[in-house]
Amino acid sequence: MPNNYLLVVEGANDEKNILQSVFEKYGFNVIKCEEKISAESYGEFYKYELKSDNDNVVIIEGPRNRIHDFLISFDTEYETLEKLFHYPTYHFSGIFLIYDVDHNDSEDVEIMFDKFNNESDGLLLLNSPCLEVLADTNVDIKRELKFNHLKEYKKTLNKYHNLSGNENSVRYIINHFNEIMIHFLEMNKKEFNENNIMEHPRLIKNKINLDNERVNYESKEDSYVIFRYFTTVLYVAIAYANKLTNEIDNYGIVHSFFENKMNENQ
């Protein structure tokens, strides 16, 4: 019997397109939901059709665009995301929430991770500053970037990759995904010396709150973030769905997986 995995993403298009391409290449059936999760959509997400030949990945957009809005939208009565779906508990073998650090307060990030800190009920996977960090070829260079709006960062990356012949950041990420995952996997292993990658989301959350500086004003237009830490743990969802994390000491297994996939595509 196939396993089902749920990915709740922040954006409406880019995240869905990247994850669909990646998981399909890994042999999964991918179902992109047109609906959007909200706290009012209790029991409504039963329209998609699961298949029985391979494991299924369901991708759906989460509440609004930011962690702060997610926390506002979700009432405490919702103990698990599965309650939103017309299926019994444990319908999903793993649930991952893929969100950007963006302009979220450190406190909001902590609350979100406290609420979603395990793959059974939902594990928060953060991208700092956003998913497009996967297309940032300068992540190893120590620098500070101040943004009132992350669209500035995204625009810069898109312009760079367009001039480099990759069309845009999303196309670059799709074409170089395994190589990118190896890079961040190695970077985070060096940072934390942790061989169990399932611990990386928690460790990175702490590092993000320590290094990134958020300055909030009453007006969102005046608020800004100084980003000093550029990273992702998207590889955790990939590794878990491919059943690579059964062993606690799994870094080498996961690294070999991405390395083999990269070599297959060359």
Side-chain angles (χ1 to χ4, degrees):
M1 184 175 180
N3 293 311
N4 308 314
Y5 301 92
L6 174 63
L7 304 182
V8 180
V9 299
E10 179 174 358
N13 295 309
D14 288 351
E15 287 92 336
K16 286 184 179 180
N17 292 336
I18 290 170
L19 291 167
Q20 178 184 19
S21 173
V22 167
F23 275 100
E24 285 181 344
K25 288 178 181 178
Y26 293 152
F28 291 82
N29 300 315
V30 178
I31 300 97
K32 287 198 302 183
C33 292
E34 298 302 323
E35 298 92 343
K36 182 178 179 179
I37 288 180
S38 71
E40 292 76 35
S41 55
Y42 177 82
E44 292 184 2
F45 295 96
Y46 54 84
K47 301 174 184 178
Y48 57 84
E49 295 184 6
L50 298 172
K51 299 180 181 180
S52 60
D53 51 342
N54 292 316
D55 287 351
N56 297 285
V57 172
V58 179
I59 307 174
I60 190 166
E61 185 182 354
R64 303 187 184 181
N65 293 319
R66 294 173 55 199
I67 287 174
H68 182 73
D69 297 320
F70 191 114
L71 294 171
I72 292 175
S73 298
F74 262 62
D75 193 289
T76 54
E77 68 182 270
Y78 293 97
E79 297 175 2
T80 68
L81 284 171
E82 284 191 338
K83 283 191 173 182
L84 291 172
F85 291 80
H86 195 65
Y87 287 104
T89 307
Y90 306 122
H91 171 69
F92 294 107
S93 300
I95 301 174
F96 298 93
L97 295 88
I98 300 167
Y99 267 72
D100 297 341
V101 171
D102 202 351
H103 282 59
N104 293 287
D105 289 329
S106 299
E107 182 180 357
D108 282 339
V109 174
E110 292 287 347
I111 294 171
M112 186 73 166
F113 195 83
D114 286 343
K115 188 175 182 66
F116 300 106
N117 57 23
N118 69 84
E119 61 278 6
S120 296
D121 300 320
L123 178 59
L124 176 63
L125 304 181
L126 290 168
N127 300 303
S128 180
C130 56
L131 182 78
E132 281 75 9
V133 72
L134 298 175
D136 192 340
T137 58
N138 293 314
V139 290
D140 288 334
I141 299 175
K142 297 296 182 182
R143 67 201 198 279
E144 291 186 352
L145 295 181
K146 175 183 174 180
F147 294 116
N148 293 83
H149 299 284
L150 276 179
K151 62 184 179 182
E152 306 162 32
Y153 179 64
K154 297 176 182 180
K155 183 178 180 181
T156 299
L157 292 176
N158 274 324
K159 181 178 180 180
Y160 169 78
H161 285 294
N162 181 262
L163 293 174
S164 300
N166 291 299
E167 185 179 343
N168 53 38
S169 295
V170 171
R171 181 51 50 190
Y172 173 81
I173 293 168
I174 289 174
N175 290 341
H176 299 84
F177 188 81
N178 295 299
E179 176 185 346
I180 293 168
M181 289 298 99
I182 290 174
H183 180 88
F184 282 104
L185 184 66
E186 292 177 346
M187 186 176 76
N188 293 331
K189 170 62 166 61
K190 182 179 179 181
E191 178 78 43
F192 301 113
N193 193 28
E194 175 56 65
N195 283 323
N196 181 5
I197 68 160
M198 301 305 293
E199 291 293 323
H200 288 188
R202 174 182 59 83
L203 295 168
I204 283 174
K205 178 262 300 182
N206 295 337
K207 184 72 172 178
I208 286 169
N209 282 341
L210 179 66
D211 285 2
N212 292 341
E213 181 180 349
R214 299 161 181 81
V215 180
N216 295 315
Y217 293 97
E218 185 174 347
S219 170
K220 288 185 178 180
E221 295 300 315
D222 295 329
S223 301
Y224 62 88
V225 178
I226 298 175
F227 291 99
R228 301 185 179 93
Y229 191 55
F230 301 83
T231 191
T232 183
V233 281
L234 182 57
Y235 54 79
V236 170
I238 308 293
Y240 186 84
N242 280 282
K243 304 175 181 63
L244 305 176
T245 58
N246 294 331
E247 301 289 336
I248 294 178
D249 189 355
N250 52 52
Y251 169 80
I253 297 171
V254 177
H255 191 284
S256 295
F257 170 84
F258 287 118
E259 194 171 33
N260 291 336
K261 292 297 181 182
M262 182 179 67
N263 293 334
E264 287 175 8
N265 296 331
Q266 290 179 347

